Amino acid sequence: MSRVEARGLGVVLGGRAVLAGVDLRADAGEWLAVIGANGAGKSTLLRALAGLLPHSGEVLVDGTPVRGLRPRERARLLAYAPQTPALPGDMTVFDYALLGRTPYIPHLGRESRADREVTGSVLERLDLTALAGRTLGHLSGGERQRVVLARALTQRASVLLLDEPTTALDLGHQQQVLELLDRLRLADGLTVVTTLHDLSVAGQYADRMTLVADGGAAATGTPEQVLTEELIGEHFDARVRVVAGTGGRPQVHLERP
């Protein structure tokens, strides 16, 4: 298990400061949900954590700055899955998941038997073995999301950065993906950082939350501390009622004005 944190993280895109001075922490084995209104910088934050965007400040894994690491070394610590990944329609499920082993394959080399065994094991755990030979263009939305997760898991990184892992999924498939992710997190001791737009869903699964607004971290804490009617009203411009759900976790309900 690994702890990931950002200290004073800032990102400038197109001459505009999207993020400035963001502090963030996900302890070892924890699920941190990053929430915020559209355009707040949630996806930018994850991409910066993954080392995919130039940024100021520091990103650390277990106290070690990752800025000086080579991309292959960083990929062994942090696995990132974008919200809308490019999925080549003619590539098989197995070959796409195998791409997660790239940080371990020598330059100009080929994957080893061990790489293929790791990939096969991950597909089995995600109930994708029967689809291993199917091309990505012939998968349902829920199957594609599991394949994207499979590629991230084959990296064997201790920190998963997932941008909206349930985007475009219906309610049933959302629950399947989130429950699967939580089981894998607990079984493997993974540290998970996700962006989630559904506040009630985020409150059900996350251990801690960070609310991003105005380029910074407006609030950080437990779901009960962050998902308050006052904070949601201020930063989402929405009138809501927050009630205690299963296990006391907050559920957010829209209220008509």
Side-chain angles (χ1 to χ4, degrees):
M1 293 190 289
S2 293
R3 164 178 169 152
V4 61
E5 59 184 315
R7 297 177 183 172
L9 193 69
V11 176
V12 176
L13 297 176
R16 181 176 71 91
V18 179
L19 299 172
V22 175
D23 293 329
L24 172 148
R25 185 186 84 244
D27 290 330
E30 190 173 61
W31 185 329
L32 173 70
V34 178
I35 63 170
N38 288 343
K42 303 185 297 297
S43 296
T44 298
L45 176 57
L46 250 63
R47 292 179 66 200
L49 289 174
L52 300 176
L53 288 176
H55 62 269
S56 57
E58 285 190 310
V59 176
L60 306 99
V61 175
D62 291 331
T64 301
V66 301
R67 185 189 298 275
L69 298 178
R70 291 177 297 178
R72 292 165 64 85
E73 294 173 325
R74 186 169 58 240
R76 295 178 185 183
L77 299 175
L78 299 158
Y80 167 73
Q83 183 177 159
T84 53
L87 297 178
D90 58 351
M91 180 177 281
T92 67
V93 167
F94 187 92
D95 286 342
Y96 183 79
L98 185 61
L99 292 174
R101 300 301 299 165
T102 301
Y104 304 92
I105 299 173
H107 292 294
L108 303 180
R110 291 183 57 83
E111 70 277 1
S112 66
R113 178 178 177 180
D115 293 321
R116 299 184 70 85
E117 287 176 349
V118 168
T119 302
S121 175
V122 169
L123 293 182
E124 183 177 1
R125 296 181 70 188
L126 298 184
D127 197 24
L128 289 169
T129 302
L131 303 179
R134 186 177 296 183
T135 56
L136 300 177
H138 291 85
L139 299 179
S140 69
E143 290 166 345
R144 284 195 294 270
Q145 289 299 102
R146 279 188 288 149
V147 171
V148 171
L149 181 57
R151 174 176 173 173
L153 289 173
T154 59
Q155 280 185 229
R156 289 285 176 93
S158 55
V159 179
L160 290 181
L161 307 173
L162 309 177
D163 192 5
E164 295 287 358
T166 59
T167 186
L169 296 182
D170 60 38
L171 197 60
H173 284 118
Q174 284 185 39
Q175 187 174 47
Q176 290 174 20
V177 168
L178 291 168
E179 287 292 329
L180 174 61
L181 179 58
D182 201 35
R183 289 198 302 271
L184 293 170
R185 174 180 71 96
L186 296 173
D188 295 355
L190 300 173
T191 302
V192 175
V193 182
T194 59
T195 61
L196 289 168
H197 72 274
D198 189 310
L199 301 183
S200 288
V201 167
Q204 290 296 304
Y205 286 92
D207 298 309
R208 284 164 33 88
M209 308 181 79
T210 292
L211 169 61
V212 177
D214 300 321
T220 295
T222 65
E224 293 80 7
Q225 292 171 324
V226 176
L227 293 182
T228 67
E229 294 173 0
E230 293 76 19
L231 283 172
I232 295 171
E234 178 182 356
H235 297 291
F236 289 85
D237 192 25
R239 178 179 295 183
V240 300
R241 178 170 50 91
V242 179
V243 299
T246 305
R249 287 178 171 266
Q251 293 184 333
V252 180
H253 301 282
L254 282 174
E255 284 200 332
R256 298 189 65 178

